[in-house]
Structures are given as C-alpha cells and as structure tokens.
Amino acid sequence: MFSAITAGRRGSGLGFALPAVLLLFAFFVVPVAALLTRSVTEPELGLQNYAVLVGSSTYARIFFNTFFVSGVVTLITVLIAFPVAWALAIMPSRWASIIFAIILLSMWTNLLARTYAWMVLLQQTGLINRSLMALGLIDAPLQLTNNLVGVTIGMVYIMLPFMILPLMGVIKKIDPAILQAAALCGATKAQALRRVLIPLAGPGIASGALMVFVMSLGYYVTPSLLGGTANMMLAELIAQQVQSLVNWGMGGAAAFLLLVVTLGLYAVQLRFFDAKEAR
Amino acid sequence: MLLDFNKLGAWKWGLTAICVLMALFLLLPILFIVGLSFGSSRWLIFPPPGWTLKWYAELFADPRWLGAALTSAKIGVIVMVLSVALGLLASLALVRGTFRGREVLRAFFLTPMVLPVVIVAVALYAAFLRLGLNGTLVGFVIAHLIVALPFAIITITGALETFDPAIEDAAILCGASPWEARLRVTLPGIRHGLFSAAIFSFLISWDEVVLAIFMASPSLQTLPVKVWTTLRQDLTPVIAAASTLLVALTVLLMIAAALIRKGKSE
Amino acid sequence: MTTPFLHINGIRKTYGPVVASDHVELAISEGEFMTFLGPSGSGKSTTLYILAGFQDPTAGDIKLRGQSILSTPSHKRNIGMVFQRYTLFPHLSVGENVAFPLRVRRMGQSEIAEKVKRALALVRLDGFEDRMPAKMSGGQQQRVALARALVYDPPVLLMDEPLSALDKKLREEIQVEIRRIHQETGVTILYVTHDQEEALRLSDRIAIFNKGKIEQVGTGPELYANPATHFVADFIGDSAFLSGELAGVQGNRAALRFANGQKVVDIPLHGAGRQGQAADLMLRPERVELSAEAGAEGASLPVTVQDITFLGNCTAVAARTDWGDAMTVRLNFGHPLAGRLARGDRLHVRWSPEAAHAFVRG
Ligand SMILES: Nc1ncnc2c1ncn2[C@@H]1O[C@H](COP(=O)(O)OP(=O)(O)OP(=O)(O)O)[C@@H](O)[C@H]1O
Ligand SMILES: [Mg+2]
C-alpha cells in the first residue's frame, strides 16, 4: 500500500534524494566521464589509445590474464560454494551458525591482512612449501607467489563468501517437498541432484557466478600483491598507466574497456533476474 | 530428500567434510597471522621458535602507524555519519517517494558498488588533482563516502520497506506533524537498520585500500595505505601485529552487529 | 434545514482514469455509528482517507459542524483512526503508545497518566501499560489502537476494516466491545467493512458503496426490507434472482413475465423501466418455501431439484427453473419434505407476494 501522507498531500519526496544525487553527480559521474573522455583526447583527439590497446601483444597478454584468472576463480568458487551453501542451508542450525560466523569473519577481515597472510603462506620458505617438502611430496619449493597461481588462490579466498551467501538464500527458498516428490517419483539421490536440485538452484548459481566474475575482472589489490609485476591484470594496468606512467589517455581507454565489460555483464544479470521474476 | 540433512545418508558426511575443509581454508590464514604476530621469528617461520610481543612494541613505537590509525578512525567516523544521513534521506525518497523513475534512481545509487573501485579511484584522483583535494581529509571522506553510500542505502531501504507506512500515518492522525512523526516514530522504528548502516559504512571506510592508495599523500595516509606501502617493501611481522589488531576490531564490530540483530528479533 | 454534524458533500476523487469516489454525499449526525459497506475497490477507504486528510478530493467538501476541514492538515484535524493493519509504534510500550497523542499535544504529565489509565480501562486493558506491542495478540493490539485513537477525545473516529485480520471468534468478541465503547463514549464513528454481518451488527445506519458511489443509505432493516437497487438487494441478504421481462408498468408497480410464459403481477418495481425491458424478480430466502403443490396464482413457480445438501440446522436444496435460473431454498431441520427429496424431483417454489421485488436489469 501507499503511504497516504507522502502520496496525497506532500511533495513527491524527490527532494530527499537530492544531497546523495548531487554528491554522486559531482564526485562520481563527472570524474568518471572526464576520465573516459581523456581516452579519446589525450595525447591528441582520436582512437589511437584504443588501437594500441587492441593491437599490442603486451596488452593482449593482460586481457588474457584478466579473463583467464577471473574464469578459473569463478569456476573454483562455484565448485566449492555450491556444496557448502547446500549444506549450510539444511544443516542443524548450531553447526551452520558457526560456519556462517567464520564466513562473515573472513569476509569482514581487512583485505590487506588476508592478502598478507597468503603472501607469507605461499612464499618460497612459507608454511605450505615447507609442509609439502617435509611430507616428501616435493623436493624443491614451488613457485606460488608472483604468478597467477598465487593470484587465483588469493582471489578464490576472497570471492568464496560472495558466492556462498546468496546461493544459500536461494537453496533455502527451495521447497523440500519438491525433492521429496522427486524421491517418490523414483529418482536416486544423484538423479535428484542433477535433474532437480541443480536446475532449481541454477539461476542462483549463474547470477552468483556472474557477480564473482565481474568482481574478479576489476580486482586490484590481490593481483598486484600476489601476482607481481610480470603478471599484470587489467585493474593494475589502469593504475600503472595513470600513476607511474602518467598516461591518462591509455589509462582512460583501459578503464573504458573494463567499464563496458562490467556494466554489460551487470546488465545481463539484471535482465536474467527480471526475466526470471516475470515468469 | 536432498534438502533433509538427516535423510542424506552417506552424502551427509561428504557435505560436512567439504564444509569443514572450507571453514578451515577461510579461518586458518587469519589464525596464522595472529600466531605470527606473537612469534619471535623475523623471517616468519611457522610454527615460531619462540613467543614475543616485540612486533607490537615496534608497532606502537612508530608514530606513523598510530597516526595512520587515527586518520583512519577520523575518516571512518565522518564517513559513517554522512553516509547514514545521506543514505537515510535517499532511502526515504526511494521507499516513500511517489515520483517516477525511483527504480532508475535506485540503480544509479548502487552503481558505485558495481563499478570496479579502481575506475572510481583513478577518476577521483584526476578530479582531485585539479581541485587540490589530493592528500586532504576532505578528499578521503568524499572518496570513501562514494563507496560506502550504496551499502547504507541498501541497508536503510531494507529497514524502511519492512516498516509499515500506516504507522507513520497513525502518528500523524494522533496529532504529530509529518516531521515529528518521522523523528519520533519512523526513525526509532528503523534504528536497527540505521545502526547496521553505520557499522557497515565505518568498516568500508576503515578497510578501503584502493581509493586510499590514490588519495594518500606522504603527510596524510590511512592504516590500509600504511600496510600497503610497508607490504610492498617487506613482509615484516609488524604487519602481522597490525593485522591482528584489525581482526580484533572486526570481531568486535561483528559482535556488535550480531547484538543489534538479536535486539531486533526480540 | 439544520447543518449536519458531519457533512460529506459531493466528494469525488480520481486517480488518473480511475474514479475512486464519485459524488459521495452523506450527512452524519453526532454520536451516530455509520458503516460504509461495499465490495473491494468500491471507494470506502478512499472516502475515509479524504476525511483523515491523507488524500485531497478532486471535488467536493467535508464539513464538520458546518466548517470545512479540507484545508486543515491531517495532524491538526483532531480525528481518531484505527487502521486495518496493526499500527502500534513498535518501539513504545502500550502506555506510551496511548500517551503519544497527548505528548505531541504537550499535555502535563499527571493529566497524561490519568487519561492513559482511563483509555486503557475503556478497552479493558488495565495494567498493560508496560507491555510491548510485539508481545500482544492481534486483538489486544487493535484494542490498544482504539484506546490511542480515543484518548484525545476526537469528535469523529474512523475505522478502516479494523477486525479483518482477526479470526471469526475474536472478531465477534471485539465487535461487542466496540458497541459498548460507542455507547459509553458517544463518539461519532465511521466504520468501513465488507462484511455485511459485521455492518448489521454494529451500525445505526449503513451506506452501501458500489463503484465509488453510495447506492443507498439506511438502517439495516430498511435496507433489507426495501433495497433501492439490484446491487443493494444482492449485497444484503442471500436472495434469489429470477430473470424475466417487464410485462406492464404502472407507477412503481409492475407485472413480470418469465420465459415459460408465466406472469407475476403487482410487484414493487425499483428503477425506471418500460414494457419489454429485462428485469429480475428478487425473493428473500426466508419468505420462500418449497412445496409439492403449486401456490397462489402469481406467487409460485415449478422447479427441478438439482442437488440436496444437509447443513445441520437446515437442508439446502439447489433448484433450477425451466429456463435455467438457479436458486437455493432452505428447509428447516424436520421439514416434512427434507428426507424425501431426490435429484430431478419436480416441485414448486412459493413465496409471499409482499416479499417480492422487481429490479430493472441495467
Ligand atoms: N493511490 C491510488 N492510486 C491509484 N488508484 C487508487 C489509489 N488508491 C485507491 N485507488 C483505486 O481507487 C479505487 C477505490 O479504492 P478504495 O481503496 O477506496 O476501495 P475500498 O472500497 O476501500 O476497497 P477494499 O475493500 O479493498 O479496501 C480502487 O479501484 C483502487 O484501485
Ligand atoms: Mg479499503
């Protein structure tokens, strides 16, 4: 129902939004637009920045790194998150709430603190390499930082909560009677999983995966600390162009590409959900 | 049957195992840092050869760490207040407003959350270079506010949506003016949402790395910036000590948030 | 003519193309219990909201003791209201909820305490001052809401389906309370409901709403005995309607011919009609009986039994006229026919001529 007061006699309420709108306009819309504009005006008017970005193999490598790592991170995250979310949705609530608290703790722990932990754990003399060597599984330490392996581990660690929490909500909303019906229809557990539970959770999985993928594409901190300078990703490229090379044109062009991909995938996600709700 | 934990049979143990392993994966690095921060090894050997508090002593002896923490706290509190105030007004407009295009406005308010922070950071960096706001407190506050606001708006609109507007109408018929009704009835009614929004906003500002790196100057930096610059030189255990304190703060805020949630359900 | 206490004067309200209220005209006297009864979407709440000042009418005026109140904002109208949903302030105790209107009026502490006590006693919730709303049942919450709406002695109390969220038994209990409170306080009440039984039980007068208009205003017995329109006749009571056409009209009495050629004459006609126009014959159930023999000429029809349902104190017989109109006749328990009926039986329905009304279809 409507609030009779605001609906009937007072103004439309738009004025209340004004401070936030002005703030975002002045310090978000205008600066981002200005940055994107610089991609076609600096050093001179034209699309040369984009030509360089698309044409050079250095940049191709960066795009490949970005999409490849994001894809792998998304895949691993989904594979871990689905069973965990499923279990959390149906576990006795005491156990579930302990695991839930751990997920929240890790999610809210300072990003740099978490990344630092992985830098220490994964380094040549770190706990992981030393344990593996002590167990006799390897002879020489593995190279786990300053490459994409480290980035992937660090990113999965960060993205897991973002996948588990929404997926848990989706699974909780599925009526258990549907799966009871599947069992009565003669479906084995594996069949019920493949033909009923996963399809029902499908939209949730897809939208969570899309969100993790989009977040990974633009991630800056973990790739730059665990990936090292040789394995750059797109966000680092933008920062580097602007900060170290003071090349605003290239920085703006890279930012534009990232923005288009991000908003495009975000729009896909919105449509996807609208379509689902309309049904 | 797949949604009844006790009817899962052997699968139950499989799922439990995955859950426990994942929980360990999430928890161990955090415990690891806490352990390191008390370990005596400069080279971060684990388990440490002995125990010590010297990294904490070093942390507190360095005025730059303390200064950075104070700066972070100051920025966090200002961002928290502004974010809740602007978020509340914006949410009133989104939930109680009758103008057209409210959905579009809502999507607009949330865009800073979906865009990669690095884009916002670089764009603001350029703008602030022109405006002379780089390395200033105002610059930090604006930058952090941009990313904290969407979270405040989500939390407060959520609370407002579950608060029946007829209650506000009832207060008005009882003789309260519209503003009096909002202040005395609606605000107390959504106070849990406002507290959560405040905690979220503070934490987002307090933990913000990317924006802060771009806003910082040698004379003004936040705690994450200090951690960042130190990390890039050397993995010193002092960072473990600082991180442990950050974890402690997170735990405290999480407990506060949980208590608020419990207060709400009562 | 004396000025009415509360005058709803030609209120019209449109939302774009939707006409929510259409020239609502009503005079209510002081202390009266007036109920708005009508189906969903008929404009009852809209009229009430205009009184409360939540909506401005597109046209028309509201006068209290001869003074227009339209320019007074809601919070200065001094009107009480109980809403359909529970609207207690969740963060305040019962006592503070009831005290709220007095606090915003900046009344003294001791006066507030005394009035709150009296209001809670009125709704029989003495001693509940410190209880929080969330810890009370729906019925108790609505009684607190009633105390809160009455504590500042408003001249008019509005109630918008206040009991619709409660179960039947509780609803009846609170209806009794509302009647008592109305008598004790003498407050003028405007009550909205779509439950005819509730309306009949509570009200001095009932206004029947349909599509934004008031179809008829009157006491319960008046509306039942003399419905002005087809809609009112249908809405109040469980009547049967038999379709036919006007065979002759004389003033406000008419003759009706059914499809089987049978005629009934000298029936009160409602609405203007000409010979040959389609019209319905309305029969009130308690004036209809089922019999093996045909009754007096013009007050009896042959029907076929379709279904028989035992309902405890009566048996409902679904019957169909030869041209296909359905009607239900109730036989009291122990009626000689009750045990002996079967589907397909041919019987006669008979009625007392003074209980029939004709309505022009339109
Ligand atoms: N804010 C609004 N905007 C547009 N149309 C409205 C609005 N409020 C009411 N209406 C329309 O006005 C008409 C009358 O509504 P109203 O709420 O007065 O009906 P009602 O008799 O109270 O029904 P109910 O028994 O369902 O409460 C309905 O058709 C409704 O859809
Ligand atoms: Mg209504």
Side-chain angles (χ1 to χ4, degrees):
Chain A
M1 212 189 84
F2 58 99
S3 164
I5 300 295
T6 40
R9 303 176 64 89
R10 316 286 145 196
S12 66
L14 185 58
F16 285 179
L18 214 56
V21 169
L22 289 181
L23 176 85
L24 287 188
F25 196 76
F27 295 108
F28 176 64
V29 177
V30 172
V32 170
L35 174 69
L36 301 182
T37 315
R38 290 172 90 164
S39 73
V40 287
T41 57
E42 289 184 23
E44 61 202 30
L45 206 64
L47 292 174
Q48 68 280 5
N49 289 317
Y50 292 93
V52 174
L53 212 50
V54 175
S56 114
S57 64
T58 327
Y59 296 132
R61 179 89 210 147
I62 291 175
F63 286 121
F64 172 79
N65 283 350
T66 309
F67 282 88
F68 179 73
V69 169
S70 300
V72 172
V73 166
T74 305
L75 188 69
I76 298 176
T77 308
V78 168
L79 289 180
I80 301 178
F82 176 73
V84 171
W86 174 19
L88 282 180
I90 61 172
M91 256 189 188
S93 63
R94 276 177 54 113
W95 290 100
S97 60
I98 292 174
I99 294 180
F100 197 71
I102 292 175
I103 294 174
L104 286 186
L105 173 69
S106 119
M107 189 163 132
W108 284 107
T109 294
N110 187 287
L111 177 62
L112 286 175
R114 288 181 281 167
T115 311
Y116 168 76
W118 283 110
M119 289 169 80
V120 178
L121 280 167
L122 295 173
Q123 65 182 336
Q124 298 262 329
T125 55
L127 185 62
I128 293 187
N129 268 321
R130 282 154 49 104
S131 308
L132 291 176
M133 279 163 65
L135 290 172
L137 291 173
I138 51 173
D139 300 327
L142 296 172
Q143 174 74 29
L144 294 174
T145 55
N146 286 328
N147 61 17
L148 295 181
V149 177
V151 177
T152 306
I153 296 176
M155 297 267 284
V156 167
Y157 183 84
I158 283 155
M159 295 299 165
L160 263 177
F162 293 106
M163 186 76 213
I164 295 174
L165 297 184
L167 201 49
M168 194 174 97
V170 170
I171 296 178
K172 268 195 171 155
K173 282 205 200 101
I174 300 175
D175 187 348
I178 296 176
L179 285 135
Q180 287 165 353
L184 285 181
C185 289
T188 63
K189 281 195 200 111
Q191 285 169 329
L193 176 67
R194 195 163 60 83
R195 291 177 180 274
V196 182
L197 187 60
I198 291 180
L200 284 179
I205 298 176
S207 99
L210 208 57
M211 190 175 90
V212 167
F213 186 72
V214 170
M215 279 171 75
S216 306
L217 285 181
Y219 229 67
Y220 175 68
V221 172
T222 310
S224 55
L225 289 177
L226 282 165
T229 38
N231 301 286
M232 218 188 265
M233 282 173 55
L234 198 46
E236 295 170 86
L237 173 70
I238 297 171
Q240 185 208 42
Q241 290 293 336
V242 168
Q243 256 187 330
S244 329
L245 307 176
V246 201
N247 186 347
W248 287 97
M250 277 304 278
F256 183 72
L257 289 184
L258 181 56
L259 183 114
V260 167
V261 175
T262 303
L263 289 186
L265 289 175
Y266 184 56
V268 167
Q269 164 146 15
L270 282 184
R271 286 222 35 170
F272 188 71
F273 270 100
D274 283 351
K276 194 167 66 82
E277 262 150 48
R279 234 185 281 153
Chain B
M1 302 285 122
L2 290 185
L3 290 178
D4 184 341
F5 196 63
N6 293 316
K7 292 272 167 69
L8 274 177
W11 286 31
K12 179 169 148 182
W13 304 114
L15 279 185
T16 310
I18 295 176
C19 266
V20 170
L21 286 177
M22 191 257 357
L24 290 178
F25 174 65
L26 288 187
L27 190 59
L28 284 184
I30 296 172
L31 296 180
F32 176 71
I33 313 175
V34 176
L36 277 187
S37 75
F38 295 105
S40 59
S41 161
R42 173 71 186 84
W43 308 113
L44 303 162
I45 307 292
F46 199 92
W51 302 100
T52 174
L53 283 176
K54 76 176 168 199
W55 311 119
Y56 288 91
E58 213 173 287
L59 183 71
F60 285 108
D62 186 344
R64 283 172 305 173
W65 280 104
L66 220 54
L70 275 180
T71 308
S72 273
K74 209 188 312 174
I75 294 168
V77 170
I78 300 174
V79 167
M80 174 177 90
V81 171
L82 290 178
S83 167
V84 171
L86 292 187
L88 174 64
L89 289 176
S91 304
L92 280 173
L94 288 179
V95 179
R96 296 290 161 83
T98 53
F99 54 91
R100 303 220 293 178
R102 269 170 297 157
E103 282 315 304
V104 176
L105 190 62
R106 186 188 295 249
F108 171 63
F109 282 147
L110 301 189
T111 31
M113 198 174 81
V114 275
L115 276 203
V117 200
V118 75
I119 294 183
V120 185
V122 168
L124 271 181
Y125 177 58
F128 285 180
L129 279 181
R130 271 189 207 165
L131 298 172
L133 286 173
N134 259 37
T136 66
L137 194 73
V138 176
F140 269 110
V141 167
I142 291 174
H144 289 188
L145 188 55
I146 297 285
V147 290
L149 193 56
F151 288 90
I153 289 178
I154 288 180
T155 316
I156 300 174
T157 47
L160 259 184
E161 269 158 7
T162 55
F163 188 80
D164 191 340
I167 297 178
E168 206 174 292
D169 293 351
I172 289 175
L173 268 193
C174 283
S177 70
W179 273 108
E180 206 174 356
R182 274 184 208 118
L183 242 84
R184 295 181 66 157
V185 173
T186 310
L187 283 199
I190 59 166
R191 62 187 186 281
H192 304 292
L194 296 176
F195 285 140
S196 305
I199 291 183
F200 276 137
S201 299
F202 179 83
L203 263 181
I204 287 166
S205 165
W206 174 264
D207 279 344
E208 179 50 48
V209 185
V210 183
L211 284 169
I213 295 170
F214 280 87
M215 296 305 124
S217 69
S219 60
L220 191 71
Q221 55 179 351
T222 60
L223 200 50
V225 177
K226 177 70 183 143
V227 176
W228 171 267
T229 44
T230 313
L231 258 183
R232 304 211 96 181
Q233 291 155 11
D234 164 20
L235 295 180
T236 162
V238 177
I239 298 177
S243 299
T244 302
L245 294 178
L246 286 175
V247 171
L249 183 82
T250 308
V251 172
L252 284 182
L253 286 178
M254 273 177 63
I255 292 173
L259 288 180
I260 289 173
R261 229 173 296 130
K262 203 172 143 215
K264 185 164 127 193
S265 63
E266 260 166 24
Chain C
M1 204 186 104
T2 57
T3 44
F5 176 69
L6 179 63
H7 189 187
I8 302 175
N9 186 359
I11 287 295
R12 181 180 164 82
K13 174 74 185 174
T14 53
Y15 297 104
V18 181
V19 182
S21 323
D22 197 0
H23 277 93
V24 172
E25 177 73 34
L26 199 58
I28 296 148
S29 39
E30 186 156 16
E32 192 170 10
F33 197 124
M34 168 67 80
T35 296
F36 294 176
L37 176 64
S40 194
S42 57
K44 309 178 299 285
S45 299
T46 301
T47 310
L48 222 55
Y49 289 156
I50 291 171
L51 268 151
F54 295 159
Q55 301 282 333
D56 287 328
T58 315
D61 201 358
I62 307 269
K63 290 192 179 124
L64 186 64
R65 298 193 180 96
Q67 299 282 316
S68 171
I69 58 170
L70 282 186
S71 55
T72 314
S74 292
H75 64 284
K76 300 224 173 96
R77 284 196 187 183
N78 202 35
I79 282 178
M81 181 155 179
V82 180
F83 295 72
Q84 176 173 4
R85 286 163 302 163
Y86 307 135
T87 57
L88 295 186
F89 309 134
H91 62 295
L92 297 180
S93 67
V94 166
E96 277 307 307
N97 260 283
V98 179
F100 183 90
L102 309 175
R103 294 209 189 283
V104 297
R105 286 174 172 73
R106 319 256 180 265
M107 248 177 219
Q109 198 60 43
S110 58
E111 198 182 352
I112 291 181
E114 194 220 330
K115 280 188 177 251
V116 168
K117 205 164 157 29
R118 234 189 306 141
L120 284 177
L122 182 69
V123 298
R124 298 192 195 273
L125 284 174
D126 322 64
F128 278 71
E129 276 90 345
D130 296 329
R131 194 74 79 88
M132 291 309 279
K135 301 238 151 97
M136 301 184 92
S137 71
Q140 287 174 324
Q141 289 195 41
Q142 286 305 61
R143 283 195 283 166
V144 177
L146 191 56
R148 186 179 67 186
L150 287 171
V151 71
Y152 49 101
D153 300 315
V156 178
L157 175 64
L158 310 178
M159 302 177 93
D160 189 1
E161 308 195 30
L163 309 183
S164 60
L166 307 178
D167 63 48
K168 188 166 161 27
K169 189 158 172 304
L170 200 55
R171 201 155 59 213
E172 284 169 8
E173 226 173 274
I174 300 188
Q175 282 165 3
V176 174
E177 295 277 301
I178 292 176
R179 269 187 79 103
R180 176 182 59 76
I181 289 166
H182 177 235
Q183 278 153 16
E184 278 178 29
T185 59
V187 63
T188 309
I189 296 184
L190 285 188
Y191 193 98
V192 165
T193 182
H194 52 231
D195 175 352
Q196 57 156 310
E197 203 180 309
E198 182 167 288
L200 291 169
R201 186 171 301 178
L202 291 174
S203 336
D204 296 327
R205 282 195 302 157
I206 300 172
I208 307 281
F209 275 68
N210 184 29
K211 298 190 183 135
K213 289 195 170 75
I214 295 185
E215 295 250 339
Q216 190 177 4
V217 187
T219 66
E222 274 168 21
L223 295 174
Y224 192 80
N226 252 318
T229 64
H230 192 294
F231 179 83
V232 175
D234 195 13
F235 203 74
I236 298 248
D238 264 335
S239 306
F241 287 89
L242 302 177
S243 59
E245 62 170 49
L246 290 177
V249 181
Q250 275 184 342
N252 57 1
R253 300 195 84 79
L256 220 76
R257 187 180 15 247
F258 295 119
N260 66 349
Q262 200 175 340
K263 244 169 94 170
V264 289
V265 296
D266 197 27
I267 309 214
L269 174 67
H270 302 266
R274 285 170 291 101
Q275 185 158 344
Q277 226 176 325
D280 282 340
L281 182 76
M282 179 206 74
L283 299 171
R284 289 294 188 200
E286 71 283 349
R287 303 291 191 83
V288 174
E289 60 170 12
L290 215 49
S291 165
E293 294 98 43
E297 171 66 24
S300 160
L301 267 182
V303 293
T304 310
V305 174
Q306 300 283 309
D307 198 8
I308 303 136
T309 319
F310 179 64
L311 294 173
N313 62 355
C314 66
T315 300
V317 180
R320 193 178 286 272
T321 62
D322 294 343
W323 61 96
D325 279 351
M327 66 186 295
T328 301
V329 184
R330 283 163 199 271
L331 305 176
N332 285 335
F333 186 74
H335 190 282
L337 272 178
R340 297 193 277 117
L341 287 179
R343 276 186 211 182
D345 283 358
R346 292 286 291 175
L347 290 169
H348 295 269
V349 285
R350 315 194 324 191
W351 60 88
S352 1
E354 70 277 12
H357 294 261
F359 292 92
V360 175
R361 201 119 40 91

